[in-house]
Amino acid sequence: LDLSLRYSQRMRCLVTFENTIEINRQNYLNTLTRMEVKSQGDLTGWRNQANHIFGTFQRQIEVNLVYLQQGERLLDTAINTIRGLVEIDQAERDRILENKIQIIGVGIGAGAIAASTSALIFQQEPITFPWQAYHGEQLHPFIWALLLSFAFAGLGFLGAIALIKFRKKRRSA
């Protein structure tokens, strides 16, 4: 950006110099014309010399402007490329954050299910855990609800990951 600013400043200075040279050229030629009228002499040699010198300076300024304009275009292209890369990087970070938020949302949903089933713990039946249940005994409703909650949370988690991967594949294709 600093280099681009310097290029712009130099180009502005060159345009100012070009205008100054043109103004001075006109003033010089006007002065020569007035001198020719007053002296009734021929100052064509002076006029030709002035046109040659002023033309040389103006051509050099034009060459410098073309050179600087090409450099400025290259700098603009480089700056736009860098901006594009930054935007791509930002979009990728946003996608990663979005994925994390989705996964956390599934986890919170699973926690909400478990919390909603916690009222079943206070039922009158004795609590039996899966490793304690024998052939004829049934699990406590809270244990069933909790196991099902975790099972559905796991399925939801795996489903969310599968959807995210599916979307990534669709975007990259």
Side-chain angles (χ1 to χ4, degrees):
L1 292 175
D2 291 339
L3 187 60
S4 179
L5 178 63
R6 279 186 274 146
Y7 261 71
S8 297
Q9 289 171 340
R10 288 182 180 163
M11 286 176 59
R12 191 179 67 233
C13 286
L14 282 174
V15 170
T16 302
F17 294 156
E18 189 175 35
N19 290 337
T20 302
I21 289 172
E22 182 57 31
I23 291 168
N24 287 339
R25 180 181 161 276
Q26 286 299 322
N27 289 342
Y28 185 80
L29 293 176
N30 289 340
T31 302
L32 279 179
T33 303
R34 283 196 311 269
M35 288 174 63
E36 281 179 328
V37 168
K38 285 188 180 184
S39 68
Q40 296 178 353
D42 185 24
L43 299 176
T44 306
W46 288 92
R47 188 178 308 278
N48 291 341
Q49 183 68 22
N51 283 332
H52 173 71
I53 292 171
F54 284 120
T56 302
F57 287 137
Q58 286 180 324
R59 277 190 300 280
Q60 183 61 50
I61 287 176
E62 288 171 4
V63 167
N64 290 346
L65 277 173
V66 168
Y67 172 76
L68 287 174
Q69 286 169 345
Q70 290 172 353
E72 186 179 41
R73 278 194 296 271
L74 286 173
L75 282 171
D76 287 342
T77 302
I79 289 170
N80 289 334
T81 301
I82 291 169
R83 283 184 182 145
L85 292 172
V86 168
E87 287 176 11
I88 289 170
D89 186 51
Q90 181 64 40
E92 183 63 29
R93 279 189 263 134
D94 289 347
R95 250 185 261 124
I96 290 170
L97 178 64
E98 179 184 331
N99 292 343
K100 287 179 182 177
I101 290 172
Q102 288 171 350
I103 291 169
I104 290 170
V106 169
I108 290 173
I113 291 171
S116 67
T117 60
S118 64
L120 296 174
I121 201 167
F122 298 110
Q123 287 194 357
Q124 298 300 323
E125 299 177 28
I127 293 181
T128 50
F129 296 100
W131 58 87
Q132 294 174 335
Y134 296 106
H135 297 289
E137 290 183 43
Q138 288 218 337
L139 292 177
H140 190 272
F142 171 74
I143 300 297
W144 271 113
L146 194 61
L147 289 174
L148 286 174
S149 295
F150 284 126
F152 283 120
L155 288 174
F157 177 77
L158 293 174
I161 289 176
L163 284 174
I164 291 169
K165 286 184 179 181
F166 176 72
R167 268 194 337 193
K168 275 186 182 179
K169 285 182 184 176
R170 267 185 60 194
R171 284 184 188 166
S172 64

